[in-house]
Amino acid sequence: ELKVEQNPLFLSMQEGKNYTIYCNYSTTSDRLYWYRQDPGKSLESLFVLLSNGAVKQEGRLMASLDTKARLSTLHITAAVHDLSATYFCAVDRGTSGSRLTFGEGTQLTVNP
Amino acid sequence: DAGVIQSPRHEVTEMGQEVTLRCKPISGHDYLFWYRQTMMRGLELLIYFNNNVPIDDSGMPEDRFSAKMPNASFSTLKIQPSEPRDSAVYFCASSLRWGKSGYTFGSGTRLTVV
């Protein structure tokens, strides 16, 4: 059974600081997704990582995938308050029939 | 594209009543998924369809839950009879070619069973 673990689960940081959220998963996969969820809202797709070594950047967020280490990171650069949200990683095995499994989510609060 | 459209946005019902949630996937997407989100269990996959055919319903919690996809543009998730422990946010998502471009989620239906 595929397990996905995120850490930290709660992150409080100051504006302007950098930080990294980690996503570990238990079985072989080369397909990982990052989502953002604001309170009471849906999941917004941030990044789709489809191969080992994939790196994608959007604004102050950068995601990477190391399939050998079964690890993805979401790096936040110079955080701003608008980034406050819950961030989920999700993994599937990339084949029809595999289940998209979500991590527990990281609740990020950026303080002024 | 309007994205994945779900209705209703909120539903409050009494225990024992039938509840029907609706979903319209993105046009052209060949996979449709129903998820449930709770504080205790996080996001769980309930069932998914490929080309309107149910493929895996092993996440459906009980026989009280059923899902259909009569055509490529419409799916329903029905709970009959509903119970308080079914209270959750139910999301529908769709994707093309098994998530190669990602999975797009609808806005969700917040269900409260009293």
Side-chain angles (χ1 to χ4, degrees), chain A residues 8 58 66 69 87-88 94 96 108 111:
Chain A
E58 181 75 33
D66 180 343
Y87 293 85
F88 291 93
S96 182
L108 171 66
N111 303 303

Side-chain angles (χ1 to χ4, degrees), chain A residues 31 33 35 42 92 97-99, chain B residues 31 37 48 56 98-99 103 106:
Chain A
R31 190 172 290 201
Y33 310 85
Y35 289 89
S42 184
D92 74 38
S98 67
R99 303 165 75 81
Chain B
Y31 286 89
Q37 185 177 34
Y48 79 88
D56 183 354
W98 194 264
Y103 298 75

Side-chain angles (χ1 to χ4, degrees), chain A residues 11 13-21 60 74-79:
Chain A
L11 176 56
M13 56 191 297
Q14 282 189 307
E15 279 192 330
K17 298 293 188 185
N18 304 331
Y19 210 84
T20 300
I21 299 170
R60 300 174 188 274
L74 180 67
H75 187 71
I76 303 157
T77 302

Side-chain angles (χ1 to χ4, degrees), chain A residues 31 33 35 37 40-45 48 50 88 92-103, chain B residues 9 31 35 37 43 45 48 50 56 58-59 91 97-108 110:
Chain A
R31 190 172 290 201
Y33 310 85
Y35 289 89
Q37 186 177 38
K41 303 292 186 183
S42 184
L43 287 94
E44 174 192 351
S45 179
V48 178
L50 300 179
F88 291 93
D92 74 38
R93 294 202 188 93
T95 57
S96 182
S98 67
R99 303 165 75 81
L100 183 66
T101 302
F102 282 82
Chain B
R9 290 295 305 274
Y31 286 89
Y35 283 86
Q37 185 177 34
L43 279 150
L45 176 64
Y48 79 88
N50 176 216
D56 183 354
S58 59
F91 288 105
R97 294 180 295 152
W98 194 264
K100 254 192 138 174
S101 306
Y103 298 75
T104 304
F105 282 76
S107 53
R110 182 174 295 276

Side-chain angles (χ1 to χ4, degrees), chain A residues 30-104:
Chain A
D30 60 0
R31 190 172 290 201
L32 189 137
Y33 310 85
W34 283 96
Y35 289 89
R36 167 182 172 144
Q37 186 177 38
D38 292 290
K41 303 292 186 183
S42 184
L43 287 94
E44 174 192 351
S45 179
L46 295 175
F47 300 108
V48 178
L49 304 170
L50 300 179
S51 61
N52 185 40
V55 177
K56 291 196 175 177
Q57 182 160 8
E58 181 75 33
R60 300 174 188 274
L61 301 178
M62 183 173 71
S64 66
L65 178 61
D66 180 343
T67 59
K68 292 182 178 150
R70 298 178 187 167
L71 171 68
S72 179
T73 60
L74 180 67
H75 187 71
I76 303 157
T77 302
V80 293
H81 180 69
D82 284 353
L83 290 180
S84 298
T86 299
Y87 293 85
F88 291 93
C89 64
V91 180
D92 74 38
R93 294 202 188 93
T95 57
S96 182
S98 67
R99 303 165 75 81
L100 183 66
T101 302
F102 282 82
E104 310 98 314

